[in-house]
Amino acid sequence: RDGRQCLQSLVDQRTDFPFQVIVGDDCSTDGTAAIVREFIERYPTIVCGIFQPTNTLGITNNMDVHDAARGEYVAHVDGDDYALPGKLQRQADFLDAHRECSFVCHRVRRISEDGSQVLGVLPEGRPPTFTSIEALLHRYVFFVNSSKMYRRPAQPFDHRNAPPRIDFYSHVEHAASGPIGFIGDILGCYRITQGGITSATGAKLYTLFDYTIDAFERARELGVSEDVVDAGKAKYLVGAACLCLTRDDYDGFRRYIAASRLTGGHRSLWQSLVFGVRNHQRLARAIVGLKEWALVSARRLQKRLPVAT
């Protein structure tokens, strides 16, 4: 992978409106800058680059590309992912038709790191066409960041003052301006790579969790109901605790399951069960493992069931 597939998929989009592809490079050492310059030369009216002088920003901090956008709508695509034909037009048409929506996302094809295998579709289910910030906090992120197109006036915050891991933070900020739209068709491909929360452990994993918790608190500042924020935050913390447990991080498990009890009375039966066995590592691991097995089995069964017509 060298970013060419991503860029080519964008410049090849056919739309009834002009668009610009703004590419950010944080002085990376993988040859990205040369590829960006190559595309600028080939497509000078479409592609422009923002080149940082030092490699200090990191992939989730290189947000100058968003600040530089001047169009009515802004779509985000990570360099590992790519768009399918019709993506930009379909999303722009949706936002044109639904002026109340702050952003719109879509389903994506999940592919292996080398692109040779299709691993499924995300999200597996079909969310409703319209949903809200309350649903976002309850379900956490039910869409891939590379599937998002938002209305630029719905960007009321300075990225530089947001936590470095800002995907969820920005979703909360945007969703506070209006409903979230969802297109059920597959309009992009999402590559499974090693990095981020997929491979993070220890202090790095805790930092990613804590950035997300900051986003729940930001929702509170934006006026979302205390009950909704606390319920979503508790659910997320239980999930964080269970993820730590599956990685044999017992300290992290106890840290986040204890934090989940500080969110008031919004405790599910599952939260109470996991909290109740927090001092019994083997039992807690067995219970969490059993739930994981049940969820995987349910997904496999669902795939085998006939579709009603």
Coordinates of all heavy atoms in Angstrom, one line a residue, residues 189-245:
C189 N -14.2 1.1 1.0 CA -13.5 -0.1 1.5 C -12.7 0.4 2.7 O -11.9 1.4 2.6 CB -12.7 -0.7 0.4 SG -13.6 -1.6 -0.9
Y190 N -12.7 -0.4 3.7 CA -12.0 -0.1 5.0 C -11.0 -1.2 5.2 O -11.4 -2.4 5.3 CB -13.0 -0.1 6.1 CG -12.4 0.0 7.5 CD1 -11.8 1.1 7.9 CD2 -12.5 -1.1 8.4 CE1 -11.2 1.2 9.2 CE2 -12.0 -1.1 9.6 CZ -11.3 0.0 10.0 OH -10.8 0.1 11.3
R191 N -9.7 -0.9 5.3 CA -8.7 -1.8 5.4 C -8.3 -2.1 6.8 O -8.1 -1.2 7.6 CB -7.4 -1.3 4.7 CG -6.4 -2.3 4.3 CD -5.2 -1.7 3.7 NE -5.5 -0.9 2.5 CZ -5.6 -1.4 1.3 NH1 -5.4 -2.7 1.0 NH2 -5.9 -0.6 0.2
I192 N -8.3 -3.4 7.2 CA -7.9 -3.8 8.5 C -6.4 -3.8 8.6 O -5.7 -4.6 8.0 CB -8.5 -5.2 8.8 CG1 -10.0 -5.3 8.7 CG2 -8.1 -5.6 10.3 CD1 -10.7 -4.3 9.6
T193 N -5.9 -2.9 9.5 CA -4.4 -2.8 9.7 C -4.1 -2.9 11.1 O -5.0 -2.8 12.0 CB -3.9 -1.5 9.1 OG1 -4.6 -0.4 9.9 CG2 -4.2 -1.3 7.7
Q194 N -2.8 -3.2 11.4 CA -2.4 -3.2 12.8 C -2.1 -1.8 13.2 O -1.3 -1.1 12.6 CB -1.1 -4.1 12.9 CG -1.3 -5.5 12.6 CD -2.3 -6.2 13.6 OE1 -2.1 -5.9 14.8 NE2 -3.2 -6.9 13.1
G195 N -2.6 -1.4 14.3 CA -2.4 0.0 14.8 C -3.6 0.4 15.6 O -4.7 -0.2 15.6
G196 N -3.4 1.6 16.3 CA -4.5 2.1 17.1 C -5.0 1.1 18.2 O -4.2 0.4 18.8
I197 N -6.3 1.1 18.4 CA -6.8 0.3 19.5 C -6.7 -1.2 19.2 O -6.7 -2.1 20.1 CB -8.3 0.6 19.8 CG1 -8.7 0.1 21.2 CG2 -9.2 0.1 18.7 CD1 -10.0 0.7 21.6
T198 N -6.5 -1.6 17.9 CA -6.4 -2.9 17.5 C -5.2 -3.6 18.2 O -5.3 -4.8 18.6 CB -6.2 -3.1 16.0 OG1 -7.3 -2.4 15.4 CG2 -6.2 -4.5 15.5
S199 N -4.1 -2.9 18.3 CA -2.9 -3.5 18.8 C -2.3 -2.8 20.1 O -1.4 -3.2 20.6 CB -1.8 -3.5 17.7 OG -1.5 -2.2 17.3
A200 N -3.0 -1.7 20.5 CA -2.5 -1.0 21.7 C -2.7 -1.8 22.9 O -3.6 -2.6 23.1 CB -3.3 0.3 21.8
T201 N -1.7 -1.6 23.8 CA -1.8 -2.2 25.1 C -1.3 -1.3 26.2 O -0.7 -0.2 25.9 CB -0.8 -3.5 25.2 OG1 0.5 -3.1 24.8 CG2 -1.3 -4.6 24.2
G202 N -1.5 -1.6 27.5 CA -1.0 -0.8 28.6 C -1.4 0.6 28.5 O -2.5 1.0 28.2
A203 N -0.4 1.5 28.8 CA -0.6 2.9 28.9 C -1.2 3.5 27.6 O -2.0 4.4 27.6 CB 0.7 3.6 29.3
K204 N -0.8 3.0 26.4 CA -1.3 3.5 25.2 C -2.8 3.2 25.0 O -3.6 4.1 24.6 CB -0.5 2.9 24.0 CG -1.0 3.5 22.7 CD -0.1 2.9 21.5 CE -0.6 3.4 20.2 NZ 0.2 2.8 19.0
L205 N -3.2 2.0 25.4 CA -4.6 1.7 25.4 C -5.4 2.5 26.3 O -6.5 3.0 26.0 CB -4.7 0.2 25.7 CG -6.2 -0.4 25.6 CD1 -6.7 -0.3 24.1 CD2 -6.2 -1.8 26.1
Y206 N -4.9 2.7 27.5 CA -5.6 3.5 28.5 C -5.8 5.0 28.0 O -6.8 5.6 28.2 CB -4.8 3.6 29.8 CG -4.6 2.3 30.5 CD1 -3.6 2.2 31.5 CD2 -5.3 1.1 30.1 CE1 -3.3 1.0 32.1 CE2 -5.0 -0.1 30.8 CZ -4.0 -0.2 31.7 OH -3.8 -1.4 32.3
T207 N -4.7 5.5 27.3 CA -4.8 6.8 26.7 C -5.9 6.9 25.7 O -6.7 7.9 25.7 CB -3.5 7.2 26.1 OG1 -2.5 7.2 27.1 CG2 -3.6 8.6 25.5
L208 N -6.0 5.9 24.8 CA -7.1 5.9 23.8 C -8.5 5.9 24.5 O -9.4 6.6 24.1 CB -6.9 4.7 22.9 CG -5.7 4.7 22.0 CD1 -5.6 3.5 21.2 CD2 -5.6 5.9 21.2
F209 N -8.6 5.1 25.5 CA -9.9 5.0 26.3 C -10.2 6.4 26.9 O -11.3 6.8 26.8 CB -9.8 4.0 27.4 CG -9.8 2.5 26.9 CD1 -9.2 1.5 27.7 CD2 -10.4 2.2 25.7 CE1 -9.2 0.2 27.3 CE2 -10.5 0.9 25.3 CZ -9.9 -0.1 26.1
D210 N -9.2 7.0 27.5 CA -9.4 8.2 28.2 C -9.8 9.4 27.2 O -10.6 10.2 27.6 CB -8.2 8.6 29.0 CG -7.9 7.7 30.2 OD1 -8.8 6.9 30.5 OD2 -6.8 7.7 30.7
Y211 N -9.2 9.4 26.0 CA -9.6 10.4 25.0 C -11.1 10.2 24.7 O -11.8 11.2 24.5 CB -8.8 10.2 23.7 CG -7.4 10.7 23.8 CD1 -6.4 10.1 23.0 CD2 -7.0 11.6 24.8 CE1 -5.1 10.6 23.1 CE2 -5.7 12.1 24.8 CZ -4.7 11.5 24.0 OH -3.4 12.0 24.1
T212 N -11.6 9.0 24.6 CA -13.0 8.7 24.3 C -13.9 9.2 25.4 O -14.9 9.8 25.2 CB -13.2 7.2 24.0 OG1 -12.4 6.8 22.9 CG2 -14.7 7.0 23.6
I213 N -13.4 8.9 26.6 CA -14.2 9.4 27.8 C -14.3 10.9 27.8 O -15.3 11.5 28.1 CB -13.5 8.9 29.1 CG1 -13.7 7.3 29.1 CG2 -14.2 9.5 30.3 CD1 -12.8 6.7 30.2
D214 N -13.2 11.6 27.3 CA -13.3 13.1 27.2 C -14.4 13.5 26.2 O -15.1 14.5 26.5 CB -12.0 13.6 26.6 CG -10.8 13.6 27.6 OD1 -11.1 13.4 28.8 OD2 -9.7 13.7 27.1
A215 N -14.7 12.7 25.2 CA -15.7 13.0 24.3 C -17.1 12.9 24.9 O -18.0 13.7 24.6 CB -15.7 12.1 23.0
F216 N -17.3 11.9 25.8 CA -18.6 11.8 26.5 C -18.8 13.1 27.4 O -19.9 13.6 27.4 CB -18.6 10.6 27.4 CG -18.9 9.3 26.6 CD1 -17.9 8.4 26.3 CD2 -20.2 9.0 26.3 CE1 -18.2 7.3 25.6 CE2 -20.5 7.8 25.6 CZ -19.5 7.0 25.2
E217 N -17.7 13.5 28.0 CA -17.8 14.7 28.8 C -18.1 16.0 28.0 O -18.8 16.9 28.4 CB -16.5 14.9 29.7 CG -16.4 13.8 30.7 CD -17.6 13.7 31.6 OE1 -18.1 14.8 32.1 OE2 -18.0 12.6 31.8
R218 N -17.5 16.0 26.7 CA -17.8 17.1 25.8 C -19.3 17.1 25.5 O -19.9 18.2 25.3 CB -16.9 16.9 24.6 CG -17.2 18.0 23.5 CD -17.0 19.4 24.1 NE -17.2 20.4 23.1 CZ -17.6 21.7 23.4 NH1 -17.7 22.1 24.6 NH2 -17.8 22.6 22.4
A219 N -19.9 15.9 25.3 CA -21.3 15.8 25.0 C -22.1 16.5 26.1 O -23.1 17.1 25.9 CB -21.7 14.4 24.8
R220 N -21.7 16.2 27.3 CA -22.3 16.8 28.5 C -22.3 18.4 28.4 O -23.3 19.1 28.6 CB -21.7 16.3 29.8 CG -22.5 16.5 31.0 CD -21.7 16.2 32.3 NE -21.1 14.9 32.3 CZ -21.6 13.8 32.6 NH1 -22.9 13.8 33.0 NH2 -20.9 12.7 32.6
E221 N -21.1 18.9 28.0 CA -20.9 20.3 27.9 C -21.8 20.9 26.8 O -22.2 22.0 26.9 CB -19.5 20.7 27.6 CG -18.5 20.3 28.7 CD -17.0 20.5 28.3 OE1 -16.8 20.9 27.1 OE2 -16.1 20.3 29.1
L222 N -22.1 20.1 25.8 CA -22.9 20.5 24.7 C -24.4 20.5 24.9 O -25.2 20.8 24.1 CB -22.5 19.7 23.4 CG -21.1 20.0 22.8 CD1 -20.8 18.9 21.8 CD2 -21.1 21.3 22.2
G223 N -24.7 20.0 26.1 CA -26.1 20.0 26.5 C -26.9 18.7 26.4 O -28.1 18.7 26.6
V224 N -26.2 17.6 26.1 CA -26.8 16.4 26.1 C -27.2 16.0 27.5 O -26.5 16.2 28.4 CB -25.9 15.3 25.4 CG1 -26.6 13.9 25.4 CG2 -25.5 15.7 24.0
S225 N -28.4 15.3 27.6 CA -28.9 14.9 28.9 C -27.9 14.2 29.7 O -27.2 13.3 29.3 CB -30.1 14.0 28.7 OG -30.4 13.1 29.7
E226 N -27.9 14.5 31.0 CA -27.0 13.8 32.0 C -27.2 12.3 31.9 O -26.2 11.5 32.0 CB -27.2 14.3 33.4 CG -26.8 15.8 33.6 CD -25.3 16.0 33.8 OE1 -24.6 15.1 34.2 OE2 -24.8 17.1 33.5
D227 N -28.5 11.9 31.9 CA -28.8 10.5 31.9 C -28.2 9.8 30.7 O -27.7 8.7 30.8 CB -30.3 10.3 32.0 CG -30.9 10.6 33.3 OD1 -30.1 10.8 34.3 OD2 -32.1 10.7 33.4
V228 N -28.4 10.4 29.5 CA -27.9 9.8 28.3 C -26.4 9.7 28.3 O -25.8 8.7 28.0 CB -28.3 10.7 27.1 CG1 -27.6 10.2 25.8 CG2 -29.8 10.6 26.9
V229 N -25.7 10.8 28.7 CA -24.2 10.7 28.8 C -23.7 9.7 29.7 O -22.8 8.9 29.4 CB -23.6 12.1 29.2 CG1 -22.1 12.0 29.4 CG2 -24.0 13.2 28.1
D230 N -24.3 9.6 30.9 CA -23.9 8.7 31.9 C -24.1 7.2 31.5 O -23.3 6.3 31.7 CB -24.5 8.9 33.3 CG -24.0 10.2 34.0 OD1 -22.8 10.6 33.6 OD2 -24.6 10.7 34.9
A231 N -25.2 7.0 30.9 CA -25.5 5.6 30.4 C -24.6 5.2 29.3 O -24.0 4.1 29.3 CB -27.0 5.6 29.9
G232 N -24.3 6.1 28.4 CA -23.4 5.8 27.3 C -21.9 5.6 27.8 O -21.2 4.7 27.4
K233 N -21.6 6.4 28.7 CA -20.2 6.4 29.3 C -20.0 5.1 30.1 O -19.0 4.4 30.0 CB -20.0 7.6 30.2 CG -18.6 7.7 30.8 CD -18.5 9.0 31.6 CE -17.2 9.1 32.3 NZ -17.1 10.3 33.1
A234 N -21.0 4.7 30.9 CA -21.0 3.5 31.6 C -20.8 2.3 30.7 O -20.0 1.4 31.0 CB -22.2 3.3 32.5
K235 N -21.6 2.2 29.7 CA -21.5 1.1 28.7 C -20.2 1.1 28.1 O -19.6 0.0 27.9 CB -22.6 1.3 27.6 CG -22.7 0.2 26.7 CD -23.8 0.4 25.7 CE -23.9 -0.7 24.6 NZ -25.0 -0.5 23.6
Y236 N -19.6 2.2 27.7 CA -18.3 2.2 27.1 C -17.2 1.7 28.1 O -16.3 1.0 27.7 CB -17.9 3.7 26.6 CG -16.6 3.7 26.0 CD1 -16.3 3.3 24.7 CD2 -15.5 4.2 26.8 CE1 -15.1 3.4 24.2 CE2 -14.2 4.2 26.2 CZ -14.0 3.8 24.9 OH -12.7 3.9 24.4
L237 N -17.3 2.2 29.3 CA -16.3 1.8 30.3 C -16.3 0.3 30.6 O -15.3 -0.3 30.8 CB -16.5 2.6 31.6 CG -16.1 4.0 31.6 CD1 -16.7 4.8 32.8 CD2 -14.6 4.2 31.5
V238 N -17.5 -0.3 30.5 CA -17.6 -1.8 30.7 C -16.9 -2.5 29.5 O -16.2 -3.4 29.7 CB -19.1 -2.2 30.8 CG1 -19.2 -3.7 30.9 CG2 -19.7 -1.6 32.1
G239 N -17.2 -1.9 28.3 CA -16.5 -2.5 27.2 C -15.0 -2.4 27.2 O -14.3 -3.3 26.9
A240 N -14.5 -1.2 27.7 CA -13.1 -1.0 27.9 C -12.5 -2.0 28.9 O -11.4 -2.6 28.7 CB -12.8 0.4 28.3
A241 N -13.2 -2.2 30.0 CA -12.8 -3.2 31.0 C -12.7 -4.6 30.4 O -11.7 -5.3 30.6 CB -13.8 -3.1 32.2
C242 N -13.7 -5.0 29.6 CA -13.7 -6.3 29.1 C -12.6 -6.5 28.0 O -12.0 -7.6 28.0 CB -15.1 -6.6 28.5 SG -16.4 -6.8 29.7
L243 N -12.3 -5.4 27.3 CA -11.2 -5.5 26.3 C -9.9 -5.7 27.0 O -9.1 -6.5 26.6 CB -11.2 -4.3 25.4 CG -10.1 -4.3 24.4 CD1 -10.2 -5.4 23.4 CD2 -10.1 -2.9 23.6
C244 N -9.7 -5.0 28.1 CA -8.5 -5.2 28.9 C -8.4 -6.6 29.4 O -7.3 -7.3 29.3 CB -8.5 -4.2 30.1 SG -8.2 -2.5 29.7
L245 N -9.5 -7.2 29.8 CA -9.5 -8.5 30.4 C -9.1 -9.6 29.3 O -8.4 -10.5 29.6 CB -10.9 -8.8 31.0 CG -11.0 -10.1 31.8 CD1 -10.0 -10.0 33.0 CD2 -12.4 -10.3 32.3

